[in-house]
Amino acid sequence: MNDPGAEYRFRDRAGSLIAEIDAALDRGEIDEAGWHARVADIIRPAYLAAITPQAQSGHSGDAATWEHARGLLADAIDRDGTFLDVGCANGLLMETMVRWCAAKRVRIEPYGLDIVPELAALARSRLPRWAERIFVGNALTWTPPMRFDFVRTNLEYVPPRRRRDLVERLMRDIVAEDGRLIIGVYSNADPGGPGLDDIVRGWGYPVAGQVERPHRTRLNELQRVFWIDAPGVSKGA
Ligand SMILES: C[S@@+](CC[C@H](N)C(=O)[O-])C[C@H]1O[C@@H](n2cnc3c(N)ncnc32)[C@H](O)[C@@H]1O
């Protein structure tokens, strides 16, 4: 059956390289482990060679542009709780989310997960106070030590045909029963096609909230975040 989630194209600087890896998976030349390994082979050297904390998290700007690009994630946090960054890289988002939430008097306890062991090690060395909270694993298969009130991810962290599985898996096993899954920040490479939020709604997950803001320099490009609440939220209301 045609899955619009697998057709969705994210805007990504490494988009053409990722497209080649997707095509190799579709042709059966690599398996899913090979897909993750080849994506990691792009990310690992670039992030580890970077000299700014932002670039070690895949962002090409400085602290101010990082805040513009990621600060809207804090809009998804509406109460105190644990926050898991799925794909934490060097841990910069864990750190800055604590600050952005504190500015609105919300206290989060950050955790991180990354598929690249060297990046998790970098996060632990940058953030020794949270070293025990930074894990290595693939979001599709990792066994969490607990559930988290807020879980952030991006759907491009898995092969296109596994995006729906990623959402299902995180909601089933990792988000707390009254918790929230936050998807983003992402940009659509094909504004003519269906939105990612509509695709996720079509998978049976009502979108509980969303925010967007124009990219700092590419003003016609919108950066988006949306979130899904676990059923326990409405049950408790
Ligand atoms: C662009 S960085 C994100 C940094 C930061 N969390 C942010 O939102 O800006 C993406 C990170 O996700 C990690 N990653 C990719 N696929 C993953 C997966 N399946 N499971 C866990 N981490 C993954 C990569 O190794 C990389 O460090």
Side-chain angles (χ1 to χ4, degrees), residues 4 82 86 129 131 138 155 157 209 212 230 236:
T82 51
V86 171
R129 64 193 180 285
N138 181 343
L155 300 193
Y157 298 166
E212 61 185 29

Side-chain angles (χ1 to χ4, degrees), residues 36 43 47 57-58 66 70 85-89 93 113-116 119 137-139 152 154 157-158:
H36 287 289
I43 288 172
Y47 288 21
S57 264
W66 172 262
R70 298 288 184 277
D85 186 19
V86 171
C88 65
L93 187 68
L113 170 71
D114 207 283
I115 197 170
V116 176
L119 289 173
N138 181 343
R152 184 217 69 88
N154 278 93
Y157 298 166
V158 294

Side-chain angles (χ1 to χ4, degrees), residues 39-217:
V39 172
D41 286 345
I42 297 172
I43 288 172
R44 185 189 299 105
Y47 288 21
L48 291 177
I51 50 173
T52 68
Q54 292 78 27
Q56 290 172 349
S57 264
H59 175 75
S60 57
D62 60 13
T65 66
W66 172 262
E67 180 155 357
H68 182 91
R70 298 288 184 277
L72 69 175
L73 285 163
D75 290 357
I77 311 286
D78 59 353
R79 60 189 164 100
D80 295 355
T82 51
F83 169 80
L84 174 69
D85 186 19
V86 171
C88 65
N90 72 340
L92 182 62
L93 187 68
M94 294 168 60
E95 240 183 318
T96 47
M97 280 291 281
V98 168
R99 221 175 47 232
W100 297 330
C101 289
K104 56 179 198 173
R105 298 183 182 279
V106 172
R107 182 183 163 149
I108 56 164
E109 292 293 340
Y111 293 76
L113 170 71
D114 207 283
I115 197 170
V116 176
E118 295 88 341
L119 289 173
L122 174 61
R124 289 186 193 120
S125 71
R126 290 185 63 251
L127 305 167
R129 64 193 180 285
W130 296 329
E132 304 295 311
R133 301 173 174 199
I134 296 167
F135 307 100
V136 176
N138 181 343
L140 278 172
T141 54
W142 174 63
T143 304
M146 59 193 262
R147 289 174 178 270
F148 301 87
D149 300 313
F150 298 95
V151 177
R152 184 217 69 88
T153 196
N154 278 93
L155 300 193
E156 56 268 52
Y157 298 166
V158 294
R161 64 191 185 198
R162 302 299 303 279
R163 289 170 180 162
R164 182 176 184 165
D165 294 338
L166 178 62
V167 171
E168 281 177 9
R169 198 281 138 134
L170 294 174
M171 291 297 283
R172 188 183 60 235
D173 301 330
I174 301 186
V175 174
E177 61 180 23
D178 58 351
R180 175 170 285 178
L181 177 63
I182 304 165
I183 296 174
V185 177
Y186 69 93
S187 298
N188 190 345
D190 174 18
L196 191 62
D197 52 336
D198 286 332
I199 290 170
V200 171
R201 267 191 206 97
W203 292 339
Y205 299 97
V207 169
Q210 52 195 319
V211 283
E212 61 185 29
R213 86 171 39 148
H215 186 276
R216 195 180 48 93
T217 52

